[in-house]
Amino acid sequence: MFVERIEQVLPCLSDPWKLRIIAHLNIGRREVNFFASGKVTIREVNDIDEGKKLVNSILAMVAQKQLLKEQLK
């Protein structure tokens, strides 16, 4: 999974020195939103297990990237 394209770059509402982006991942027509509260929403999944697998695969990729980053220090 990788970023297919960036749709918009907008100023952040809470910090004008930062940006908001909409990145499109090549995961089909699904829309995945992560919230600071820990909530995740996903659009157009077939069932709960598919949603869990999708979120877990994203989290595993992030964890793997962090481990590789720490090893390169």
Side-chain angles (χ1 to χ4, degrees):
M1 186 179 323
F2 59 92
V3 175
E4 188 175 286
R5 66 186 167 91
I6 301 292
E7 181 179 322
Q8 295 179 5
V9 177
L10 305 166
C12 182
L13 297 174
S14 60
D15 186 342
W17 299 105
K18 295 187 180 181
L19 299 173
R20 289 185 295 156
I21 65 169
I22 299 172
H24 291 266
L25 304 177
N26 58 340
I27 55 174
R29 295 176 45 130
R30 292 174 186 92
E31 176 182 312
V32 181
N33 297 293
F34 289 86
F35 296 89
S37 65
K39 181 173 78 171
V40 178
T41 61
I42 309 170
R43 186 181 71 181
E44 295 192 21
V45 292
N46 292 319
D47 55 37
I48 291 173
D49 286 335
E50 181 184 16
K52 286 180 184 178
K53 287 177 186 176
L54 179 60
V55 172
N56 284 333
S57 69
I58 293 170
L59 294 175
M61 284 189 299
V62 170
Q64 181 66 25
K65 185 174 181 178
Q66 184 62 34
L67 285 174
L68 291 171
K69 185 178 177 181
E70 289 174 8
Q71 289 177 353
L72 294 174
K73 287 183 179 180

